[in-house]
Amino acid sequence: AAERVEEVLELTEDVRIVGNRKKSVQTVAVCTGAGDDSIDAVLKNNCDLFITGDIRHHDAQKARELGLALIDAGHYGTEKIFARNFADNLRKLCDEQVEIIESKVIVDPFSDM
């Protein structure tokens, strides 16, 4: 699953993984950006895997203790596809009656300039 996430998100850095890498996955939760505040909801909904970014140390420990597998693909890594995807969906919903302008500034603030 981790390799697929890296491929689909076109990541340049490896993801961080919590939990059993060979665990069977049926239900996946996804949260762009920093999703550590959503761990309880993910567990409540019986998800096997949570893909998000910016997982803090203690939240990773909590997930591991409770048997939740995590893939931390980074804040930027999980958000960079959001603006384009959201704008495309809005265009479809608005049937071209509203001009949708999406940001063209999609930059990892931690990368070299």
Side-chain angles (χ1 to χ4, degrees):
E3 293 83 14
R4 183 74 175 131
V5 168
E6 289 174 345
E7 177 186 328
V8 169
L9 295 178
E10 300 175 355
L11 301 177
T12 57
E13 296 182 20
D14 293 338
V15 297
R16 297 186 308 165
I17 300 169
V18 174
N20 182 351
R21 295 170 189 245
K22 296 181 182 185
K23 178 181 176 181
S24 176
V25 174
Q26 299 298 315
T27 307
V28 178
V30 178
C31 179
T32 62
D36 42 10
D37 288 343
S38 299
I39 288 178
D40 290 333
V42 170
L43 289 165
K44 182 179 178 183
N45 286 283
N46 298 312
C47 295
D48 302 308
L49 172 64
F50 185 30
I51 302 171
T52 190
D54 286 348
I55 294 294
R56 294 175 292 187
H57 177 85
H58 291 105
D59 293 311
Q61 282 183 318
K62 175 181 179 177
R64 177 176 230 133
E65 287 173 11
L66 297 173
L68 175 63
L70 288 173
I71 296 178
D72 181 340
H75 197 113
Y76 172 74
T78 59
E79 282 195 348
K80 68 181 181 174
I81 63 169
F82 180 78
R84 179 185 58 223
N85 185 314
F86 192 68
D88 288 345
N89 284 321
L90 278 177
R91 283 186 191 96
K92 289 174 190 171
L93 290 171
C94 295
D95 197 28
E96 310 233 358
Q97 294 178 16
V98 176
E99 180 182 12
I100 307 297
I101 302 171
E102 63 187 277
S103 174
K104 300 299 181 201
V105 180
I106 303 172
V107 177
D108 182 352
F110 298 104
S111 66
D112 292 334
M113 298 190 89

